Amino acid sequence: MLMWLVPVSVFCIVGAIALGGGPVTIESQSIPRQILGLCATLVAYLVVWGALQMLLVRLLPLGGSIAIASVLSIPMFPFIAVVGFRVVGVRTHRGAEQHHTSAG
């Protein structure tokens, strides 16, 4: 059970950087839907990480499989986030929000 602290910690760090500090726009009028989308993203991330770790534990010792699964799952995070948010009906867009200005 203790080994699940690693992917949850990695999710918190990568999620904060990718969703909070990155150029990602989350379109939803409902804050509960955004929270559900984040929870669905966490579940999807843990499924991907768990699958990677189970495949790698056959080749590497436990510590190595945890580390390599964590490193391999980081680049997949944007795709996992899109799927997690789509499950609850929230759209995500890459790129900063466009502010319309009038030239007049």
Side-chain angles (χ1 to χ4, degrees):
M1 198 64 171
L2 197 58
M3 74 177 195
W4 288 101
L5 286 176
V6 173
V8 170
S9 299
V10 170
F11 174 83
C12 291
I13 294 167
V14 174
I17 292 170
L19 299 176
V24 176
T25 304
I26 299 172
E27 291 184 2
S28 175
Q29 299 296 327
S30 170
I31 292 185
R33 267 197 174 174
Q34 291 180 12
I35 293 170
L36 287 174
L38 190 59
C39 292
T41 301
L42 173 61
V43 169
Y45 179 81
L46 291 177
V47 167
V48 168
W49 184 90
L52 284 171
Q53 196 272 334
M54 280 197 283
L55 290 173
L56 291 170
V57 78
R58 296 178 184 181
L59 305 171
L60 302 168
L62 183 62
S65 66
I66 290 172
I68 300 297
S70 298
V71 169
L72 290 177
S73 64
I74 290 172
M76 296 181 202
F77 185 84
F79 305 108
I80 296 169
V82 168
V83 170
F85 280 100
R86 279 283 163 99
V87 166
V88 295
V90 176
R91 297 189 64 146
T92 58
H93 296 286
R94 187 148 179 89
E97 288 186 35
Q98 295 179 358
H99 298 285
H100 299 286
T101 58
S102 60

